[in-house]
Amino acid sequence: MAMTPSTDEPAATRMLFLGEAALTEGFHLIGFETWADATRQELDELLQGLLRKRQNAFIVLGQALAGCDSPLLQRVRAEGGHIVVTQVPSLADPDNFQCEIDDRLQLLLGGNLQPDLE
């Protein structure tokens, strides 16, 4: 039985960064679409468009925006699927970075996830 090549190409994944202006240029240089100092409203509009068009996306958020109280962001994170969201630490306070997944990993693995640097 001969296999026929698929004409269905995978949908392109948009790479997006919304966060501190100081990080924007670096993300832009590696091919991300960027929004410097984006607001919650801008994030919600972007997410709404991605959901409506069913676009694949990899979104990196600055820590402040990642912690905003957007119900749409919470929905995207809970659903998973074609939109993946992660975050980067603030340049102003890199030692105070905590990612949402840290709490989940700590529950699964137990103990402290912070390295002991003493």
Side-chain angles (χ1 to χ4, degrees), residues 10 22 36 38 40-41 58 68 76 79 91 93 96 107 111 117:
R40 178 186 151 191
Q41 181 179 347
F58 174 62
C68 76
V76 165
E79 287 178 3
L91 288 177
D93 195 12
N96 194 26
L107 284 173
L117 300 176

Side-chain angles (χ1 to χ4, degrees), residues 4-114:
T4 57
S6 173
T7 57
D8 296 332
E9 291 190 26
T13 299
R14 290 177 65 185
M15 298 187 318
L16 311 157
F17 172 75
L18 295 86
E20 294 179 33
L23 295 172
T24 303
E25 185 177 343
F27 278 94
H28 182 72
L29 287 172
I30 60 174
F32 278 69
E33 297 174 49
T34 59
W35 283 263
D37 298 325
T39 64
R40 178 186 151 191
Q41 181 179 347
E42 290 171 313
L43 173 62
D44 284 343
E45 289 171 5
L46 176 66
L47 292 174
Q48 203 167 39
L50 292 169
L51 289 168
R52 187 179 65 252
K53 296 174 185 174
R54 300 234 5 106
Q55 288 183 302
N56 295 332
F58 174 62
I59 302 172
V60 178
L61 298 176
Q63 192 169 6
L65 199 54
C68 76
D69 62 345
S70 166
L72 202 48
L73 178 59
Q74 291 173 1
R75 174 183 158 198
V76 165
R77 283 180 165 158
E79 287 178 3
H82 63 99
I83 301 173
V84 176
V85 179
T86 190
Q87 66 191 72
V88 294
S90 167
L91 288 177
D93 195 12
D95 293 332
N96 194 26
F97 176 67
Q98 179 156 359
C99 191
E100 179 181 291
I101 198 167
D102 290 349
D103 294 332
R104 292 180 187 173
L105 287 175
Q106 192 163 356
L107 284 173
L108 288 172
L109 303 175
N112 186 357
L113 293 178
Q114 299 298 320

